[in-house]
């Protein structure tokens, strides 16, 4: 039996299992279906004869998987699969999967039904009694094998099926927009499920013990691996730290919990990455709770990369291609392409700063230090102090992006209304950890551990003469989704993807971020916070207004630069 035949049995069993649980809906692309199969776990034991372990499908087997489901669509003993392939890009879509009714030949689960006789009665319409009725005639009838009712797709006419297929295809505008904003550097780097190289090699040896390994096969897979950091106080028997590289007792937390790309190139091992002693947040120990600045005894990890990793693999070079067609989108408030200024920031007490010197902005983003009734490594503001923030003075027309969590989800909505904004949408940030797994032990939450944060999207409430809400006509809508999946980093640091989302909605224009830190500074943005250092301002008119209001402030760069 060839490898593709074995994978065919695995795919058939997985498709039947997934659709029998009604955990998936059609239509679905072949890639999405393959992703669900890979995520469903290893194939069941005993699938292949003689106890041979069944191979696992991988995301790189897409072309092979499509050949398998095309064969199943022609003949499948567990049901019926309807496919559709788009002529433009050749994308294969599973339009419908119906279990229990094989496409060709009788199903092995269907048994021949016995013949019974149906009694047909002839009734004399002139006689109400049973007297005078003729002998009831018996006619043979065979009960057909039970078949499930037709699905919604099968009940449609041929014309409606074609219309339905067309409606499921992406529009030309949608495809061109996706190509226009596609990131050339966004290569997906999957992480090995076994985490370490030793465990990966052990699992590969176990899977190949009953089969002949291919010549030249690597001892480990080509995915990203991690190595455990074993220190004097580490107890491996305790398992993984819930916070991993964001644990407050980690030496690298004060610098950056983001793992460097090539940690094996460090000259002085792990502890030499930082410079000087590490200052931990006051009153917080391992993981941010419990012990007072105690070293964390749980396992932590770093990326395990060596110069020999990936040898023999095909090198994939990302080459920028000029798109022959581009969908024009709005150019923002100015109506023309603009070059963003370098990052600007003002270090100040946000509760007492005079916001009138800043002028008006098209976009405001704020990550306030809400009082969520928990111990946090930074100062918080009361609900009354938040309501008193002069946010309305910063905008006549524009968008407000407000981060909220916990009880602040309700307080944030109230503040939005108080400031004169109408909430129009909401973005959810799903947090992942260093191993790219969903965080199960968040640092916030009274009843449940929070693994996500919300960002409210509001529009300045401006009504026309008839009382209808006016939306800014320079905002680009429908370019991004409302869900961001990204790794957590420093305390209060938000995903970089959010900035790209906002800048696509409002190209150009003035943008300000309130309650920001040094890692939040970004070209085209003015950041306000109390941990930013010496002010840096490039807008000449803004420099003049600040100097007039605060003559003692030192502004960088000097005016002659």
């Amino acid at each position: 039996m060839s490898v593709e035949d074995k994978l065919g049995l695995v795919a058939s069993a997985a498709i039947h299992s997934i659709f029998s649980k009604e955990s998936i809906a059609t239509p679905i692309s072949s890639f999405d279906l393959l992703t669900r199969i890979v995520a469903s776990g290893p194939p069941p034991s005993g699938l292949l004869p003689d106890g041979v372990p069944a191979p696992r499908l991988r995301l790189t087997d897409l072309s092979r998987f499509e050949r398998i489901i095309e064969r199943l669509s022609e003949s499948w003993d567990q049901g019926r699969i309807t496919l559709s392939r788009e002529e433009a890009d050749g994308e294969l879509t599973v339009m419908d999967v119906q279990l229990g009714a094989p496409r060709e030949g009788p199903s092995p689960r269907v048994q021949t039904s016995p013949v019974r006789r149906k009694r047909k009665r002839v009734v004399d319409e002139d006689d109400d009694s049973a007297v005078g009725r003729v002998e009831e005639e018996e006619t043979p009838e065979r009960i057909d094998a039970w078949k499930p009712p037709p699905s919604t797709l099968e009940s449609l006419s041929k014309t409606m099926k074609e219309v339905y297929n067309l409606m499921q295809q992406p529009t030309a505008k949608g495809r061109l927009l996706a190509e226009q904003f596609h990131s050339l550097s966004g290569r997906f780097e999957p992480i090995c499920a076994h985490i370490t190289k030793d465990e990966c090699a052990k699992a590969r040896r176990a899977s190949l013990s009953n089969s002949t390994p291919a010549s030249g096969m690597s001892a480990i897979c080509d995915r990203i691996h991690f190595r455990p950091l074993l220190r004097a106080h580490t107890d491996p028997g305790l398992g993984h730290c819930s916070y991993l590289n964001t644990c407050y007792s980690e030496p690298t937390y004060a610098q950056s919990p983001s793992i460097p790309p090539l940690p094996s190139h460090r000259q002085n091992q792990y502890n030499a990455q930082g410079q000087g002693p590490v200052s931990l947040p006051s009153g917080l120990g391992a993981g941010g709770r419990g012990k007072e600045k105690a070293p964390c005894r749980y396992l932590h990890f770093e990326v395990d990369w060596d110069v020999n990793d990936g040898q023999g693999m095909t090198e994939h070079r990302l080459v920028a291609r000029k798109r022959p067609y581009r969908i024009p989108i709005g150019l923002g408030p100015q109506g023309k392409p603009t070059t963003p200024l370098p990052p600007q920031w003002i270090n100040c007490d946000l509760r007492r700063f005079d916001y009138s010197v800043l002028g008006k902005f098209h976009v405001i983003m704020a990550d306030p230090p809400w009082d969520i009734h928990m111990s946090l490594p930074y100062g918080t503001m009361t609900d009354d102090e938040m309501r008193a923030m002069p946010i309305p003075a910063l905008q006549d027309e524009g968008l407000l992006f407000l981060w909220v969590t916990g009880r602040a989800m309700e307080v944030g909505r109230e503040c939005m209304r108080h400031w004169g904004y109408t909430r129009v949408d909401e973005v959810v940030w799903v947090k992942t950890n260093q191993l790219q797994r969903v965080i199960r032990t968040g640092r916030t939450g009274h009843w449940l551990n929070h693994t996500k944060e919300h960002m409210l999207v509001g529009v300045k409430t401006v009504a026309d003469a008839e009382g209808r809400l006016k939306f800014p006509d320079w905002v680009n809508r429908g370019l991004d989704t409302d869900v961001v999946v990204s790794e957590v980093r420093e305390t209060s640091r938000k995903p970089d993807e959010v900035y790209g989302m906002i800048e696509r909605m409002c190209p150009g224009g003035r943008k300000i971020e309130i309650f920001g830190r040094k890692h939040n500074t970004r070209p085209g943005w003015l950041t306000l916070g109390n941990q930013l250092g010496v002010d840096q301002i490039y807008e000449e008119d803004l420099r003049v207004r600040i100097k007039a209001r605060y003559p003692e402030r030192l502004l960088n760069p000097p005016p002659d630069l």
Side-chain angles (χ1 to χ4, degrees):
M1 182 180 294
S2 64
V3 175
E4 188 157 330
D5 293 337
K6 296 179 182 179
L7 291 176
L9 293 176
V10 173
S12 175
I15 293 173
H16 184 273
S17 174
I18 291 176
F19 282 92
S20 62
K21 296 177 182 177
E22 298 182 355
S23 60
I24 192 172
T26 54
I28 182 173
S29 67
S30 58
F31 179 78
D32 292 338
L33 179 58
L34 177 59
T35 303
R36 295 295 294 269
I37 293 176
V38 172
S40 64
S45 58
L47 190 62
L48 300 180
D50 301 330
V52 177
R56 294 190 62 175
L57 284 165
R58 302 193 306 172
L59 295 179
T60 54
D61 297 328
L62 179 60
S63 58
R64 177 178 289 175
F65 177 70
E66 290 183 345
R67 292 196 301 268
I68 290 173
I69 59 177
E70 284 179 342
R71 291 201 303 269
L72 294 179
S73 67
E74 298 173 358
S75 176
W76 190 33
D77 59 355
Q78 302 189 57
R80 182 178 302 174
I81 300 179
T82 305
L83 303 178
S84 174
R85 186 178 290 277
E86 187 178 0
E87 296 182 359
D89 54 8
E91 181 180 357
L92 187 65
T93 303
V94 179
M95 303 300 297
D96 186 41
V97 174
Q98 186 177 0
L99 304 178
R103 187 180 183 91
E104 292 182 0
S107 173
R109 297 174 297 177
V110 178
Q111 298 180 355
T112 305
S113 302
V115 177
R116 76 178 185 185
R117 296 188 179 274
K118 181 178 179 181
R119 300 175 65 86
K120 183 177 181 181
R121 186 174 65 182
V122 180
V123 180
D124 186 357
E125 297 179 355
D126 297 332
D127 189 1
D128 292 337
S129 67
V131 180
R133 293 181 182 176
V134 299
E135 183 83 13
E136 292 181 346
E137 183 181 359
E138 295 182 351
T139 57
E141 180 184 16
R142 180 177 297 274
I143 299 178
D144 294 333
W146 177 85
K147 292 184 179 181
S151 64
T152 305
L153 182 61
E154 284 193 337
S155 62
L156 298 177
S157 63
K158 181 179 179 180
T159 302
M160 291 303 298
K161 287 182 180 179
E162 294 178 356
V163 173
Y164 181 79
N165 188 19
L166 290 175
M167 292 177 62
Q168 303 305 314
Q169 304 301 327
T171 63
K173 179 179 179 180
R175 289 197 300 268
L176 290 176
L177 282 174
E179 292 178 357
Q180 182 171 340
F181 293 106
H182 178 69
S183 175
L184 291 175
S185 60
R187 183 180 176 187
F188 175 68
E189 295 288 351
I191 293 178
C192 178
H194 303 288
I195 302 180
T196 64
K197 291 182 178 179
D198 291 340
E199 292 297 326
C200 178
K202 185 186 301 181
R204 288 171 70 88
R205 287 194 300 267
S207 63
L208 298 176
S209 59
N210 297 326
S211 60
T212 303
S215 59
M217 177 175 292
S218 175
I220 60 174
C221 67
D222 56 354
R223 300 190 174 192
I224 301 298
H225 298 85
F226 292 85
R227 65 164 63 96
L229 297 171
L230 301 177
R231 304 186 180 93
H233 55 266
T234 302
D235 184 358
L238 296 177
H240 301 176
C241 174
S242 300
Y243 302 97
L244 294 174
N245 57 334
T246 60
C247 179
Y248 287 143
S249 67
E250 272 297 280
T252 56
Y253 180 81
Q255 289 78 39
S256 173
S258 302
I259 295 298
L262 305 178
S264 59
H265 286 183
R266 300 173 188 163
Q267 297 179 356
N268 299 320
Q269 301 301 325
Y270 182 81
N271 293 329
Q273 180 184 354
Q275 297 179 0
V278 176
S279 176
L280 300 180
S282 177
L284 298 174
R289 297 180 184 178
K291 304 174 184 178
E292 179 77 8
K293 296 186 179 180
C296 184
R297 300 171 59 198
Y298 291 81
L299 272 176
H300 298 82
F301 294 88
E302 66 175 353
V303 174
D304 189 359
W305 188 92
D306 297 315
V307 293
N308 295 326
D309 288 353
Q311 285 190 357
M313 301 178 186
T314 304
E315 183 179 2
H316 300 278
R317 295 186 180 274
L318 299 175
V319 180
R321 294 187 303 164
K322 292 185 177 180
R323 304 294 181 183
Y325 303 102
R326 295 180 69 87
I327 295 295
I329 65 171
L331 299 178
Q334 283 86 2
K336 60 181 179 180
T338 58
T339 301
L341 291 172
Q344 304 180 97
W345 59 82
I346 300 176
N347 190 69
C348 61
D349 185 346
L350 296 171
R351 295 170 295 185
R352 299 175 176 83
F353 186 75
D354 184 4
Y355 287 74
S356 63
V357 302
L358 300 177
K360 303 296 181 179
F361 294 87
H362 301 96
V363 170
I364 301 174
M365 183 168 72
D367 181 21
W370 302 101
D371 182 10
I372 58 175
H373 302 168
M374 296 191 70
S375 176
L376 298 172
Y378 50 81
T380 60
M381 293 176 62
T382 66
D383 296 349
D384 291 336
E385 287 177 327
M386 286 304 307
R387 295 188 191 95
M389 290 288 294
I391 300 297
L394 297 175
Q395 266 186 343
D396 293 331
E397 178 190 55
L399 301 173
L400 170 64
F401 298 87
L402 185 65
W403 285 98
V404 294
T405 185
R407 63 177 293 271
M409 295 179 65
E410 303 302 327
V411 181
R413 286 169 168 82
E414 180 185 345
C415 288
M416 265 196 169
R417 292 189 295 268
H418 179 76
W419 295 331
Y421 288 82
T422 300
R423 190 187 69 85
V424 295
D425 220 319
E426 185 171 331
V427 178
V428 177
W429 169 28
V430 180
K431 300 179 179 180
T432 58
N433 60 21
Q434 178 188 11
L435 304 180
Q436 300 306 302
R437 299 174 180 176
V438 174
I439 291 179
R440 296 182 297 174
T441 309
R443 288 194 173 100
T444 60
H446 292 280
W447 298 90
L448 299 172
N449 291 320
H450 292 176
T451 187
K452 59 181 175 59
E453 284 192 34
H454 297 252
M455 183 177 68
L456 306 180
V457 183
V459 176
K460 190 68 177 288
T461 306
V462 180
D464 57 13
E466 299 179 359
R468 294 175 299 187
L469 183 64
K470 293 175 60 178
F471 296 101
D473 55 4
W474 39 263
V475 175
N476 297 317
R477 306 190 201 179
L479 296 183
D480 289 274
T481 64
D482 60 350
V483 177
V484 175
V485 180
S486 183
E487 182 180 346
V488 295
R489 295 177 290 181
E490 295 92 334
T491 299
S492 299
R493 185 170 184 177
K494 305 307 179 187
D496 294 336
E497 293 85 349
V498 171
Y499 294 94
M501 176 192 303
I502 296 175
E503 290 164 0
R504 286 187 289 272
M505 291 182 67
C506 176
R510 297 190 73 208
K511 302 179 180 68
I512 184 173
E513 180 173 1
I514 309 176
F515 304 104
R517 302 187 183 189
K518 200 61 177 288
H519 55 240
N520 298 115
T521 59
R522 185 178 177 91
W525 289 73
L526 172 64
T527 305
L528 268 63
N530 61 358
Q531 303 176 15
L532 295 172
V534 180
D535 300 346
Q536 179 168 296
I537 300 297
Y538 287 89
E539 293 183 55
E540 291 299 329
D541 54 345
L542 180 58
R543 293 177 64 94
V544 173
R545 293 195 299 268
I546 294 178
K547 271 298 184 181
R549 179 66 178 83
Y550 300 101
E552 72 283 359
R553 296 190 74 95
L554 176 63
L555 302 180
N556 285 333
D560 56 344
L561 294 182

